[in-house]
Amino acid sequence: MSTEDKLQFRDVRTGFGSGGKRVEVLDGVSFSVAAGEFVSVLGPSGCGKSTLMSMAAGFSRHDSGEVMVDGRPVTGPDHKRGVVFQQYAIFPWMSVAKNIAFGLSLKANRHSKEETAEIVARYVHLMGLNGFEDALPKTLSGGMRQRVAIARAYATDPEVLLMDEPFAALDAQTREFMQELLHDANQQERRTAMFITHSVEEAIFLSHRIVVLSRRPTSVHEVIDVNVPTPRTAESRLSDEFIQLRRHLEEVMRSMSTFAPAGRLS
Amino acid sequence: MAHARRLLPLAGFALFLAFWYAVALSGVFAPGQLPRPDQVVTTLVDRFANDGLWRDLQLSVLRVLIGVVVGCAIAVPVGFALAWYRSLRAMFDPLVSFFRALPPIALIPLVIVYLGIGEGARLSILIYAAFFSSVVVIYEGAAATDEIYVRAARSMGASQVEVFRRVVLPLTVPQVLVGVRVALGVCWATLVAAELIAARRGLGATIQNAANFFQIDMIYGGVILIGLSALVMDRLLAVLMRRLVRWQERVER
């Protein structure tokens, strides 16, 4: 275990029910995310990917093992770990700018008015939200709302960004665009990131490393280094490394699918 | 089309008036049993001009407002407490349903026994009605707060107090306003009962006095004034709600 490990899961176990009805979900999951690294967690549905994120954020507990940030166990939510949810969790009664500024107005992480304005402007720009500062969420598309959510998570300057399938509800085109936007943002402002997804392509495009989880009871099936050169663009998706990796991962995912494994159209 | 739709409520009233005239003029009822709308209006104008009907209207509006404001001011914290603490809700939910189902008019004799026949007695009936009609709406709204917003705020470092003040409260504003609106309707419906308690002035009292003297056109006049006041106040509140919760997403119908 290197000292650079920012986020660590060590032999994490959890499940629900008890006695004969006990269902193990996480059955000894261990991996870590190094400082500045972007790691995707890929796995079949129901394997407990989101549970891992929830533990790292401090929303849920585990039965045994350790979830640690900087070597210290996570005990609850904290502004040092920013979260982007699959559902659009931006506050509907606040404008885009107010949403992004929210974390900076809290006692735990209060910034002056001037600092806040500067930070909001920076992330409005980074996420391409210029001109929408005063818009209410209800007037925005799904993709725009997630951009606000990402800007809001960045704005509190978290040490770790946790993202739980943030693009899963978007259409294919918007999704690719959002992946590129997030990748570019992360090139400019490097954050340690854990990204939960069930999309092979998304995992490859965004990550330095991919942690592949097995079916339930879940453990780490494989950890893959992504050797597609950065910065990545739409073109990268067509490179040999990308396609090779994609073929391998699609194969792995198919083998773990609960549904008819052979000859299934995807 | 949109313009036409705005006129439809008026068309509803026009149709009602036409029906009223038709019945009044048809002779189904003996003369004096059912006044024509214009006779009712004449009576109202006369009473406004010479009999201080304004004062009755004012008093009733004031009573309803006090009932709604005080009743809801109690219902909001109680609603939040019930939403927040599961065990409290389990304990009091059936009680709330029990008291909510009681018609306020049935409680009048008891109110007279304990509170006498003063203004306090009348107001307590209205406060009772406002509280029990709105508390359920408010606590159901507060209990349905979407957990995702709470989590988002917590992940940015919000304390419990900050979560409550800056997330739960604004999220529940629409539902609280719905509660206020329900309370307003119920208070107007309870007004006549409240003014049964030895009130000399007020729209409910006016109707009862008119009934004692068999002034049927004034009975109609009082009923119409109560209905109109309730309608106007409800519309004002609806406008306020639209302003306050502009952020809410609505399914266009």
Side-chain angles (χ1 to χ4, degrees):
Chain A
M1 235 158 288
S2 97
T3 47
E4 268 198 304
D5 283 344
K6 191 81 195 166
L7 174 62
Q8 256 178 38
F9 293 89
R10 215 189 282 163
D11 198 28
V12 173
R13 288 164 199 275
T14 193
F16 51 85
S18 58
K21 283 185 187 159
R22 173 83 183 165
V23 178
E24 296 298 336
V25 181
L26 300 177
D27 192 25
V29 172
S30 303
F31 69 92
S32 55
V33 183
E37 195 184 23
F38 196 114
V39 171
S40 283
V41 177
L42 187 66
S45 21
C47 76
K49 305 185 286 287
S50 294
T51 309
L52 281 174
M53 200 232 49
S54 194
M55 288 171 177
F59 297 136
S60 41
R61 313 227 158 271
H62 44 283
D63 296 339
S64 72
E66 284 170 299
V67 179
M68 298 191 293
V69 173
D70 286 327
R72 278 187 297 274
V74 171
T75 53
D78 188 312
H79 69 275
K80 288 178 185 136
R81 290 181 306 280
V83 184
V84 180
F85 301 88
Q86 179 182 338
Q87 305 97 310
Y88 313 122
I90 55 172
F91 304 128
W93 63 95
M94 290 182 196
S95 68
V96 166
K98 290 239 169 74
N99 259 288
I100 300 174
F102 182 84
L104 306 173
S105 67
L106 299 171
K107 225 177 260 160
N109 193 17
R110 186 159 289 157
H111 287 60
S112 73
K113 240 185 196 164
E114 296 74 30
E115 281 175 315
T116 303
E118 199 178 301
I119 293 169
V120 169
R122 168 145 43 108
Y123 292 105
V124 159
H125 182 71
L126 191 70
M127 282 292 125
L129 291 163
N130 303 72
F132 290 94
E133 290 89 340
D134 297 325
L136 280 175
K138 71 169 181 182
T139 62
L140 303 178
S141 67
M144 292 287 275
R145 290 180 199 199
Q146 270 325 38
R147 285 197 240 174
V148 179
I150 295 170
R152 187 176 68 175
Y154 262 105
T156 54
D157 195 23
E159 293 173 11
V160 182
L161 263 181
L162 302 165
M163 288 173 272
D164 187 10
E165 306 205 40
F167 309 146
L170 304 177
D171 63 84
Q173 228 177 344
T174 311
R175 221 180 144 133
E176 288 197 1
F177 174 78
M178 291 295 291
Q179 290 162 9
E180 284 152 29
L181 191 70
L182 179 61
H183 177 75
D184 293 347
N186 206 52
Q187 289 294 118
Q188 287 178 52
E189 299 223 6
R190 208 49 168 308
R191 296 296 152 98
T192 307
M194 178 167 112
F195 189 98
I196 309 287
T197 181
H198 60 255
S199 155
V200 165
E201 207 199 344
E202 185 164 273
I204 303 171
F205 186 83
L206 289 168
S207 319
H208 298 111
R209 272 193 312 144
I210 300 174
V211 174
V212 184
L213 298 179
S214 70
R215 268 165 64 175
R216 216 168 50 211
T218 306
S219 57
V220 174
H221 179 271
E222 187 175 12
V223 178
I224 293 172
D225 288 310
V226 181
N227 291 317
V228 180
T230 52
R232 295 170 191 158
T233 63
E235 278 297 300
S236 308
R237 297 179 201 270
L238 304 171
S239 69
D240 288 343
E241 294 100 322
F242 197 106
I243 290 171
Q244 232 169 19
L245 196 50
R246 185 168 174 185
R247 184 167 293 139
H248 168 72
L249 281 170
E250 298 275 9
E251 185 69 30
V252 172
M253 293 298 282
R254 209 163 13 242
S255 74
M256 288 192 296
S257 167
T258 345
F259 311 106
R264 179 176 158 246
L265 296 172
S266 57
Chain B
M1 230 6 238
H3 196 68
R5 194 166 294 173
R6 212 165 309 154
L7 291 176
L8 280 179
L10 289 181
F13 276 110
L15 214 64
F16 174 73
L17 273 181
F19 174 74
W20 184 354
Y21 266 114
V23 178
L25 296 173
S26 68
V28 176
F29 296 101
Q33 265 188 337
L34 179 63
R36 293 190 314 271
D38 58 290
Q39 290 170 322
V40 173
V41 171
T42 313
T43 307
L44 280 178
V45 169
D46 175 56
R47 295 288 290 263
F48 269 122
N50 306 319
D51 230 6
L53 191 54
W54 277 118
R55 183 86 196 99
D56 297 288
L57 182 60
Q58 265 174 6
L59 249 170
S60 289
V61 169
L62 192 65
R63 282 178 182 140
V64 166
L65 278 179
I66 291 174
V68 169
V69 169
V70 176
C72 291
I74 305 170
V76 168
V78 171
F80 274 109
L82 289 177
W84 215 249
Y85 302 105
R86 215 172 283 250
S87 45
L88 265 188
R89 185 165 13 161
M91 202 162 28
F92 289 113
D93 188 41
L95 264 187
V96 168
S97 303
F98 174 86
F99 281 107
R100 198 165 58 120
L102 295 180
I105 199 164
L107 298 174
I108 285 179
L110 291 176
V111 169
I112 292 174
V113 168
Y114 299 112
L115 296 176
I117 52 170
E119 195 58 42
R122 286 185 283 276
L123 288 178
S124 70
I125 289 282
L126 292 174
I127 292 168
Y128 172 94
F131 174 79
F132 280 105
S133 57
S134 62
V135 73
V136 179
V137 180
I138 291 168
Y139 92 67
E140 276 175 0
T145 306
D146 198 337
E147 186 66 20
I148 193 83
Y149 297 118
V150 175
R151 284 190 165 199
R154 300 272 283 137
S155 76
M156 285 183 274
S159 64
Q160 294 283 10
V161 175
E162 283 170 323
V163 166
F164 180 74
R165 209 169 55 79
R166 305 202 41 200
V167 178
V168 177
L169 274 188
L171 262 178
T172 6
V173 164
Q175 200 63 22
V176 168
L177 288 176
V178 171
V180 173
R181 206 171 162 186
V182 169
L184 187 62
V186 170
C187 267
W188 275 110
T190 312
L191 180 74
V192 179
E195 289 180 351
L196 270 178
I197 308 174
R200 269 170 305 167
R201 308 296 314 238
L203 292 178
T206 304
I207 291 176
Q208 281 152 39
N209 291 340
N212 292 340
F213 296 105
F214 210 67
Q215 297 165 323
I216 291 193
D217 37 0
M218 194 50 225
I219 298 179
Y220 274 96
V223 168
I224 287 170
L225 280 183
I226 288 179
L228 277 181
S229 310
L231 180 68
V232 168
M233 281 170 77
D234 183 68
R235 284 299 114 128
L236 287 177
L237 195 60
V239 170
L240 183 75
M241 278 168 82
R242 259 200 299 278
R243 291 258 164 113
L244 276 176
V245 296
R246 222 191 295 254
W247 53 268
Q248 253 196 332
E249 294 193 56
R250 278 173 209 284
V251 182
E252 295 289 337
R253 268 181 293 191

